[in-house]
């Protein structure tokens, strides 16, 4: 509302005088003026009035709060009128009011908040819960209770917890109702849920108006109803709903906290009133239990009985928040004075320049300390009867939480809690604040409620409206493969496999499904299934059934049921029979496999011969004999009948590994040859989709099948190669003609169609593997609950065997199966055995390396001295000697080496003896010579 219209309201304030500038000289005055606006006769107002009066008395009786200053409360009753609330807010300015408690209604708060902004007077409301009362727009508005934003988040979590996807919103059409429902829509969207229908009601709606709206609601699909209104209109809505039969089984009613306020304040309610509330889920603002709260609640009966002409009434959470609002304001005022704040008012320069005739504009003064008081309010950190009182950066109270209440019998039952910290829980929120935050779906829990209709089974959440409208279900009008689905000539009836599955699934639904099958197509060509699904999004059809493959681009447009048949793409090609011949025994292996196998027979034979040649007489002899021995030994291992014994350890290891390889090869060969000789084989030059990708031959596909897009977009096949075909006869003719005569090399189609095609045409067959995984399903609009129920029904058909029986009835043919033919399996190739050959080859190589090292050591030991003495130390001489050494028998080498060693020992002994004799003779001669010399001297 513009400031101009606010000024017009001043005409009602002719008694307000112009006071100019009023300043309290004392920093702590004796009295502080505080205003309060409420509706005393309303269910919230009467509780708040008693709580506020009690709080003011408690504050004034406690000298430690305001240090002697008294809080003077000026309470105005707006009689539930927004207009009077605005006028009363203006009248407070006459008495230098520093803050206003209220207003009670969000609608009134939107207007008074503009006055508070202009005059800088804090506005503290315990019941204006509209989430759009933002501090950005209304900086002097302070909400001292929980915002409806959190209440709607709790409702969204409840809806998501029970697995519902759509709700209906019934609400009062004012700022409180519209903005609350807008917040609900946002919170539901976060859970991938939505409001499917909105039913606004006038603020002064009559019973007839409510009835008209609820009749519209009853004609909708959803059965989850959120009722967001006031305590006055809410019971009337539920009473009318009971009259219309909308409180029975299948319905879910979730109300905001107005219902819990009624139950807390007016309990016990008459039985007739409670009958209208049975099974309803409602919320209550949560306040933790504490000693302060218990003491205040124990005083409540005395407080209400003394000051209420109509006797005592119950305490609601609004009363607790109203009581804490006074204490919050008292502590803020005390902090205001402690910071040096003074209560002073000055004229608004914007108003003094206006001349409004008899309007006393000068009476509207600005509170100079408003900003400081507002800051003090937001910085308060105390504990009240509602728990900790502290504001977040968004000016919301910390720890927002609600109780989830189920109305049953003559009272209510708490089935859990909701908090912004932990979501839904059966434990009080304050016990979870010390744990790590966990909002996962597995951590959400509520006790089981009693739903409307006195049932504990969770309602499905939706039903077909009783408006006589049938679902328009599109059915493709096929011209080929009529076993799948077809329209009976001259009627609107359909038959086929898909139709039988759909009817059987509908019969399993726990409710009646009114529908009408509508043909889609011109009857001359097979229709496009993608286009059929698209028409669901435009509202032409409510669903589509038939051979509709579940592929990516279709799932973006609609929701599909569980597949009722697997049907991926396969390749069909002509095949020829392979009859047995004189050379059939060669077919199990490819030529490369035969060549490699033969090569390894020789390699192993040579390796064993090398390892056994020096020590085994069976592997010695003339060259011709040795060559025959190698061939015989290697080939005889094929039958495990080799007669030569292996002596060396290395030879035995090589032979053991080779015999294992031979066992695998012979077993595989035997199995493949048995299949070739006992089962009639079919062969085709096309081995699968890889063959078609690597060739340039034309490819056939069913007209308007998704196979065309898949081949072009996913496999990169040129579109010019693709030829559309309609009927099975077209398939057969194109495959028989082949690419040379204008036909196709192969046809790519879905498995279900191919099975029908091949059931009577044995000259064709599936080649390769199924190269996509897909299935057929029924299509429904996005987020349709019918898709889930139909999926459940299809699963039941699969479990009880009915789905297979319908498949056998329509799609099973056995004309070719009795012939015992099978598509020829690929011949055994080297890639299937290369691991065995690698192991065997490595074993041979390793054994020969070890053997070669041993030979070098023996050769250096026995021949090194001989080579040096004989002068054959050249490389060629050493090589010739080494080859001769390797060819010799090991025993011969050892005996010759031993003999040479003995000879060297004997020669060494003889030499030593000769040298001793010569020495003796030399000494004897010397002695004789000496004697002769002595004799001569004597003569």
């Amino acid at each position: 509302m513009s400031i101009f219209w606010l000024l017009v309201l001043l005409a009602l304030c002719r008694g307000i005088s112009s006071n100019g500038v009023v300043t309290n000289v004392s920093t702590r005055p004796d009295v502080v003026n505080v205003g309060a606006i409420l509706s005393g006769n309303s269910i919230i107002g009467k509780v708040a009035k008693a709580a506020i009066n009690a709080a003011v008395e408690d504050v004034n009786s406690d000298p430690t709060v305001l240090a002697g200053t008294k809080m003077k409360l000026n309470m105005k009753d707006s009689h539930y009128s927004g207009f009077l609330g605005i006028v009363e807010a203006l009248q407070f300015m006459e008495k230098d009011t520093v803050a206003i408690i209220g207003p009670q209604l969000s609608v009134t708060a939107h207007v008074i908040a503009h006055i508070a902004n202009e005059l800088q007077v804090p506005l503290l409301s315990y019941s204006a819960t509209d989430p759009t009362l933002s501090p950005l727009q209304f900086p002097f508005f302070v909400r001292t209770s929980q915002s409806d934003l959190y209440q709607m988040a709790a409702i969204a979590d409840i809806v998501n917890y029970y697995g519902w996807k759509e709700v209906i919103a019934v609400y009062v059409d004012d700022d409180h109702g519209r903005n609350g429902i807008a917040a609900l829509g946002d919170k539901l969207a976060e859970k991938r849920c939505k409001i499917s229908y909105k039913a606004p009601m006038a603020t002064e709606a009559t019973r007839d108006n409510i009835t008209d709206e609820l009749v519209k609601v009853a004609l909708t699909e959803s059965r989850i109803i959120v009722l967001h209104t006031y305590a006055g209109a809410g019971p009337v809505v539920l009473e009318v709903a009971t009259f219309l039969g909308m409180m029975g089984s299948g319905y879910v009613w979730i109300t905001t906290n107005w219902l819990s306020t009624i139950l807390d304040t007016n309990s016990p309610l008459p039985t007739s009133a409670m009958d209208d509330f049975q099974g309803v889920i409602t919320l209550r603002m949560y306040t933790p239990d504490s000693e302060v709260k218990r003491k205040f609640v124990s005083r409540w009966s005395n407080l209400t009985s003394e000051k209420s002409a109509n006797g005592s009434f119950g305490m609601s959470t609004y009363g607790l928040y109203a009581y804490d609002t006074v204490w919050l304001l008292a502590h803020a005022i005390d902090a205001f004075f402690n910071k040096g704040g003074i209560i002073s008012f000055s004229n608004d320069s914007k108003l003094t320049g206006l001349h409004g005739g008899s309007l006393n504009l000068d009476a509207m003064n600005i509170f100079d300390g408003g900003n400081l008081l507002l800051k003090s309010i937001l910085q308060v950190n105390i504990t009240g009867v509602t728990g900790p009182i502290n504001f977040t950066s968004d000016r919301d109270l910390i720890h927002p939480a609600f109780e989830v209440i189920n109305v049953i019998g003559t009272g209510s039952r708490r089935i859990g809690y909701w908090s912004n910290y932990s979501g839904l829980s059966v434990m009080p929120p304050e016990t979870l604040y010390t744990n790590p935050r966990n909002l996962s779906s597995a951590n959400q829990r509520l006790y089981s409620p009693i739903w409307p209709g006195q049932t504990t089974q969770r309602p499905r959440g939706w039903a077909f409206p009783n408006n006589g409208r049938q679902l328009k279900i599109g059915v493709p009008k096929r011209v080929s493969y009529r076993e799948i689905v077809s329209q009976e000539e001259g009627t609107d009836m359909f038959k086929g496999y898909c139709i039988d599955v759909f009817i059987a699934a509908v019969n399993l639904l726990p409710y009646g499904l009114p529908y009408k099958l509508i043909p889609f197509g011109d009857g001359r060509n097979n229709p496009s299934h993608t286009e059929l699904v698209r028409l669901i999004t435009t509202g032409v059809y409510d669903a589509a059934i038939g051979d509709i493959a579940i592929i990516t681009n279709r799932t973006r447009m609609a929701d599909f049921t569980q597949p009722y048949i697997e049907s991926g793409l396969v390749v069909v090609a002509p095949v020829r029979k392979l009859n047995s011949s004189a050379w059939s025994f060669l077919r199990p292996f490819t030529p490369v496999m035969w060549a490699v196998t033969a090569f390894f027979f020789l390699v192993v034979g040579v390796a064993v011969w090398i390892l056994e040649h020096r020590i085994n007489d069976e592997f010695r002899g003339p060259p011709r004999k040795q060559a025959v021995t190698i061939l015989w030994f290697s080939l005889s291992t094929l039958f495990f009948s080799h007669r030569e014994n292996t002596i060396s350890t290395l030879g035995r290891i090589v032979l053991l590994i080779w015999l294992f390889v031979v066992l695998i090869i012979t077993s595989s060969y035997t199995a493949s040859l048995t299949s070739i000789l006992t089962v009639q084989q079919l062969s085709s030059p096309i081995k699968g989709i890889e063959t078609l990708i690597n060739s340039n031959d034309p490819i056939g596909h069913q007209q308007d099948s998704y196979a065309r897009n898949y081949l072009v977009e996913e496999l990169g096949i040129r579109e010019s190669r693709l030829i559309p075909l309609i009927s099975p006869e077209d398939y057969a003719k194109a495959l028989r003609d082949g690419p040379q005569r204008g036909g196709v090399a192969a046809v790519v189609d879905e498995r279900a169609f191919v099975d029908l095609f091949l059931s009577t045409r044995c000259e064709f067959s599936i080649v390769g593997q199924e190269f996509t995984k897909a299935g057929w399903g029924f299509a429904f609009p996005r987020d349709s609950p019918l898709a889930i129920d139909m999926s459940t029904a299809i699963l039941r058909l699969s479990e009880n065997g009915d789905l297979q029986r319908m498949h056998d009835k329509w799609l099973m043919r056995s004309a070719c199966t009795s012939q015992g033919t099978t598509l020829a399996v690929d011949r055994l190739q080297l890639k299937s055995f290369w691991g065995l050959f690698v192991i065997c080859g490595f074993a041979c190589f390793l054994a020969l390396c070890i053997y070669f090292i041993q030979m070098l050591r023996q050769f250096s030991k026995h021949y090194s001295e001989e080579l040096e003495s004989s002068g054959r130390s050249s490389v060629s001489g050493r090589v010739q000697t080494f080859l001769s050494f390797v060819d010799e028998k090991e025993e011969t080498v050892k005996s010759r080496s031993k003999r040479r060693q003995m000879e060297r020992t004997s020669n060494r002994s003889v030499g030593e003896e000769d040298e001793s004799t010569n020495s003796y003779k030399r000494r004897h001669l010397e002695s004789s010579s000496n004697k002769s010399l002595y004799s001569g001297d004597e003569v």
Side-chain angles (χ1 to χ4, degrees):
M1 181 181 292
S2 64
I3 194 65
F4 173 77
W5 292 108
L6 295 177
L7 296 176
V8 173
L9 297 174
L10 293 176
L12 300 174
C13 307
R14 295 178 180 270
I16 301 178
S17 61
S18 176
N19 297 323
V21 178
V22 180
T23 303
N24 296 58
V25 296
S26 174
T27 57
R28 276 196 181 265
D30 294 333
V31 176
V32 176
N33 293 322
V34 176
I37 302 175
L38 48 79
S39 299
N41 294 326
S42 67
I43 195 170
I44 295 177
K46 64 181 181 181
V47 173
K49 181 178 181 181
I52 292 173
N53 286 327
V56 171
E57 291 180 3
D58 293 344
V59 168
N60 289 333
S61 63
D62 188 347
T64 62
V65 180
L66 289 175
T69 299
K70 299 297 182 182
M71 181 182 291
K72 182 179 180 181
L73 179 68
N74 186 8
M75 187 175 292
K76 299 286 187 180
D77 191 343
S78 65
H79 300 285
Y80 226 91
S81 169
F83 177 75
L84 291 180
I86 297 170
V87 173
E88 290 163 356
L90 295 173
Q91 290 177 342
F92 281 136
M93 300 303 102
E94 181 183 10
K95 300 179 181 180
D96 298 341
T97 303
V98 298
I100 299 175
I101 298 175
Q104 183 175 316
L105 297 178
S106 296
V107 177
T108 309
H110 273 277
V111 180
I112 297 180
H114 285 287
I115 302 175
N117 288 350
E118 182 66 23
L119 303 181
Q120 299 182 12
V121 176
L123 192 66
L124 293 82
S125 178
Y126 53 86
S127 59
T129 55
D130 181 358
T132 63
L133 287 167
S134 167
L136 297 177
Q137 183 181 9
F138 306 112
F140 280 85
F141 174 82
V142 180
R143 183 185 292 108
T144 59
S145 64
Q146 301 298 345
S147 168
D148 277 344
L149 179 67
Y150 298 110
Q151 184 169 208
M152 296 309 172
I155 293 176
D157 278 351
I158 294 172
V159 172
N160 183 64
Y161 173 76
Y162 288 111
W164 301 314
K165 293 300 180 183
E166 297 182 0
V167 303
I168 294 173
V170 180
Y171 59 97
V172 60
D173 193 16
D174 61 5
D175 290 337
H176 171 71
R178 285 191 302 270
N179 296 332
I181 293 303
L184 174 62
D186 294 340
K187 293 300 180 179
L188 286 172
E190 294 177 4
K191 307 294 182 181
R192 300 190 66 182
C193 305
K194 67 178 183 179
I195 300 176
S196 60
Y197 182 78
K198 294 182 179 180
M201 300 182 300
T203 53
E204 302 294 335
T206 64
R207 185 182 179 89
D208 290 339
N209 299 142
I210 295 174
T211 302
D212 293 341
E213 287 298 330
L214 291 186
V215 168
K216 297 176 183 178
V217 170
L219 296 179
T220 60
E221 187 176 87
S222 178
R223 289 294 182 264
I224 313 300
I225 303 173
V226 176
L227 181 56
H228 181 48
T229 181
Y230 297 111
V236 180
V237 174
L238 294 180
E239 181 183 351
V240 173
T242 303
F243 174 76
L244 296 176
M246 299 174 64
M247 294 294 293
S249 180
Y251 279 91
V252 175
W253 286 83
I254 303 175
T255 74
T256 48
N257 59 348
W258 61 264
L259 180 54
S260 63
T261 302
I262 293 177
L263 298 175
D264 293 338
T265 307
N266 295 338
S267 183
L269 292 172
T271 303
S272 58
M274 291 300 298
D275 289 343
D276 298 332
F277 303 157
Q278 295 300 303
V280 174
I281 301 293
T282 187
L283 299 176
R284 176 194 292 136
M285 286 185 287
Y286 175 71
T287 56
D289 192 20
S290 65
E291 184 64 25
V292 177
K293 177 182 175 181
R294 286 193 293 270
K295 288 181 179 180
F296 179 67
V297 172
S298 64
R299 296 169 51 197
W300 185 252
S301 178
N302 294 332
L303 292 174
T304 55
S305 60
E306 293 174 359
K307 300 182 180 182
S308 174
N310 297 324
S312 62
F313 44 84
M315 162 68 73
S316 69
T317 52
Y318 285 110
L320 298 176
Y321 279 105
Y323 182 83
D324 274 352
T325 300
V326 176
W327 278 93
L328 166 66
L329 180 59
H331 281 277
I333 293 174
D334 183 62
F336 169 80
F337 289 136
N338 291 336
K339 294 176 183 178
I342 60 174
I343 299 178
S344 63
F345 294 84
S346 59
N347 290 332
D348 189 348
S349 60
K350 298 178 183 179
L351 300 178
T352 56
L354 296 177
H355 301 284
S358 59
L359 295 177
N360 297 312
L361 301 179
D362 293 339
M364 299 189 67
N365 300 319
I366 296 176
F367 178 28
D368 298 327
N371 283 299
L372 181 59
L373 179 58
L374 175 64
K375 184 178 180 180
S376 300
I377 291 172
L378 298 177
Q379 292 177 346
V380 167
N381 187 1
I382 61 174
T383 300
V385 295
T386 60
I389 302 175
N390 193 7
F391 291 96
T392 66
S393 58
D394 297 328
R395 293 198 188 179
D396 290 323
L397 290 176
I398 61 172
H399 303 322
F402 289 85
E403 295 178 73
V404 184
I405 307 298
N406 179 212
V407 182
I408 188 66
T410 58
S412 61
R413 181 173 67 100
R414 182 176 58 227
I415 61 174
Y417 303 88
W418 179 91
S419 71
N420 193 44
Y421 184 80
S422 58
L424 298 173
S425 173
V426 295
M427 299 177 63
E430 66 270 15
T431 63
L432 301 175
Y433 292 146
T434 56
N435 299 331
R437 191 178 189 188
N438 188 351
L439 292 174
S440 65
S441 58
N443 198 50
Q444 307 298 293
R445 187 186 172 196
L446 291 175
Y447 291 120
S448 298
I450 304 296
W451 302 104
Q454 301 296 314
T455 178
T456 58
Q457 184 177 2
R458 180 185 68 86
R460 186 172 63 248
W462 69 279
F464 284 100
N466 188 21
N467 56 9
R469 190 180 75 87
Q470 294 179 319
L471 291 182
K472 297 176 293 182
I473 299 179
V475 183
K477 192 174 182 180
R478 295 193 58 87
V479 297
S480 61
Y481 295 108
R482 297 173 65 84
E483 298 91 342
I484 302 295
V485 60
S486 63
Q487 184 178 14
E488 296 184 8
E489 296 296 335
T491 68
D492 58 355
M493 303 295 291
F494 288 83
K495 63 180 181 179
Y497 170 66
C498 299
I499 302 301
D500 280 6
V501 173
F502 175 74
I503 294 175
V506 169
N507 292 335
L508 291 178
L509 297 178
Y511 47 84
L513 179 66
Y515 66 90
K516 180 180 181 181
L517 301 181
I518 301 175
F520 172 71
D522 56 12
R524 296 185 298 274
N525 298 293
N526 290 327
S528 169
H529 295 85
T530 301
E531 178 63 19
L532 175 59
V533 174
R534 189 191 67 80
L535 291 176
I536 297 177
T537 64
T538 62
V540 176
Y541 299 112
D542 298 312
I545 65 174
D547 53 312
I548 305 174
I550 305 174
I551 57 177
T552 303
N553 63 332
R554 294 174 186 171
T555 57
R556 296 191 182 105
M557 296 184 287
D559 283 349
F560 283 83
T561 63
Q562 169 81 15
Y564 57 87
I565 186 175
E566 297 294 332
S567 186
L569 294 178
V570 294
V571 177
V572 180
V575 294
R576 59 183 178 85
K577 296 179 180 179
L578 295 178
N579 298 320
S580 299
S581 66
W583 304 100
S584 295
F585 67 91
L586 295 176
R587 281 167 52 190
F589 289 163
T590 61
V592 175
M593 181 64 183
W594 278 115
V596 173
T597 303
F599 173 74
F600 265 85
F601 270 105
L602 294 177
V603 168
V604 173
V606 171
V608 174
W609 176 81
I610 293 174
L611 297 173
E612 297 288 327
H613 177 65
R614 300 184 72 245
I615 62 176
N616 194 338
D617 291 337
E618 294 182 354
F619 289 88
R620 300 187 61 80
R624 179 178 296 180
K625 179 184 177 183
Q626 295 182 48
V628 172
T629 299
I630 291 174
L631 293 175
W632 168 255
F633 176 82
S634 60
L635 294 176
S636 61
T637 56
L638 179 63
F639 309 102
F640 305 96
S641 61
H642 49 284
R643 65 184 180 184
E644 292 81 7
N645 294 321
T646 53
I647 298 175
S648 67
T649 301
L650 294 176
R652 289 177 176 177
I653 293 175
V654 171
L655 182 60
L656 179 63
I657 295 175
W658 173 244
L659 291 178
F660 176 75
V661 174
V662 170
L663 175 64
I664 300 299
I665 291 176
T666 54
S667 300
S668 302
Y669 174 85
T670 302
S672 181
L673 182 61
T674 301
S675 176
I676 291 173
L677 297 179
T678 57
V679 179
Q680 189 176 21
Q681 303 289 306
L682 301 177
S683 177
S684 172
I686 297 174
K687 303 304 180 183
I689 189 63
E690 294 82 5
T691 306
L692 296 179
I693 294 174
N694 297 328
S695 69
N696 292 317
D697 294 332
I699 304 171
H701 65 88
Q702 187 176 173
Q703 183 187 46
D704 288 317
S705 169
Y706 80 93
R708 182 184 186 88
N709 290 336
Y710 185 86
L711 294 174
V712 173
E713 298 174 3
E714 301 296 332
L715 302 183
I717 296 176
R718 296 194 312 274
E719 196 168 358
S720 59
R721 292 177 56 193
L722 304 180
I723 299 178
L725 305 171
I726 298 178
S727 65
E729 291 74 20
D730 296 337
Y731 284 23
K733 184 178 184 303
L735 289 171
R736 291 191 186 103
D737 292 344
Q740 295 78 13
R741 293 181 292 177
V744 298
V747 171
V748 176
D749 203 354
E750 297 178 66
R751 184 63 184 256
F753 296 116
V754 169
D755 288 342
L756 280 174
F757 171 73
L758 297 179
S759 63
T760 56
R761 296 169 178 85
C762 305
E763 68 270 29
F764 311 110
S765 180
I766 296 174
V767 293
Q769 301 295 321
E770 188 173 315
F771 58 92
T772 66
K773 293 295 182 181
W776 293 351
F778 303 137
F780 293 90
R782 297 300 299 269
D783 299 325
S784 172
L786 189 57
I788 299 175
D789 289 353
M790 287 292 287
S791 294
T792 304
I794 290 172
L795 289 175
R796 290 180 59 187
L797 291 174
S798 177
E799 292 169 356
N800 61 26
D802 289 343
L803 199 60
Q804 184 62 43
R805 283 188 284 271
M806 286 182 283
H807 177 276
D808 296 342
K809 171 186 175 182
W810 290 100
L811 305 182
M812 184 63 70
R813 302 290 185 271
S814 58
C816 295
T817 56
S818 61
Q819 298 181 10
T821 59
T822 182
L823 187 64
V825 181
D826 290 341
R827 302 167 74 179
L828 298 176
Q829 300 180 11
L830 178 62
K831 64 181 180 180
S832 301
F833 301 93
W834 71 269
L836 290 173
F837 287 127
V838 168
I839 294 173
C840 183
F842 179 75
C844 292
F845 175 76
L846 184 62
L848 291 176
C849 288
I850 296 174
Y851 177 77
F852 180 72
I853 294 172
Q854 291 176 346
M855 289 302 98
L856 288 177
R857 292 180 62 187
Q858 292 182 11
F859 178 74
S860 62
K861 178 180 179 181
H862 297 295
Y863 282 86
S864 58
E865 296 179 0
E866 181 180 343
L867 289 173
E868 292 176 358
S869 62
S870 62
R872 300 175 61 184
S873 59
S874 63
V875 176
S876 60
R878 286 180 174 273
V879 171
Q880 292 177 4
T881 304
F882 178 73
L883 293 178
S884 300
F885 168 75
V886 171
D887 186 58
E888 285 183 316
K889 192 173 182 180
E890 185 173 356
E891 293 179 357
T892 303
V893 173
K894 289 181 178 180
S895 61
R896 183 171 64 249
S897 176
K898 186 176 182 181
R899 186 172 60 253
R900 289 175 179 173
Q901 186 177 3
M902 292 176 63
E903 289 177 354
R904 285 196 298 269
T905 303
S906 175
N907 292 336
R908 187 181 301 112
S909 299
V910 173
E912 292 176 354
E913 182 178 354
D914 292 343
E915 184 179 354
S916 177
T917 303
N918 293 334
S919 176
Y920 173 77
K921 288 181 177 181
R922 190 164 49 252
R923 289 195 301 272
H924 179 72
L925 289 175
E926 292 177 354
S927 177
S928 299
S929 176
N930 291 334
K931 288 181 178 181
S932 179
L933 180 60
Y934 295 151
S935 297
D937 290 341
E938 291 178 354
V939 174

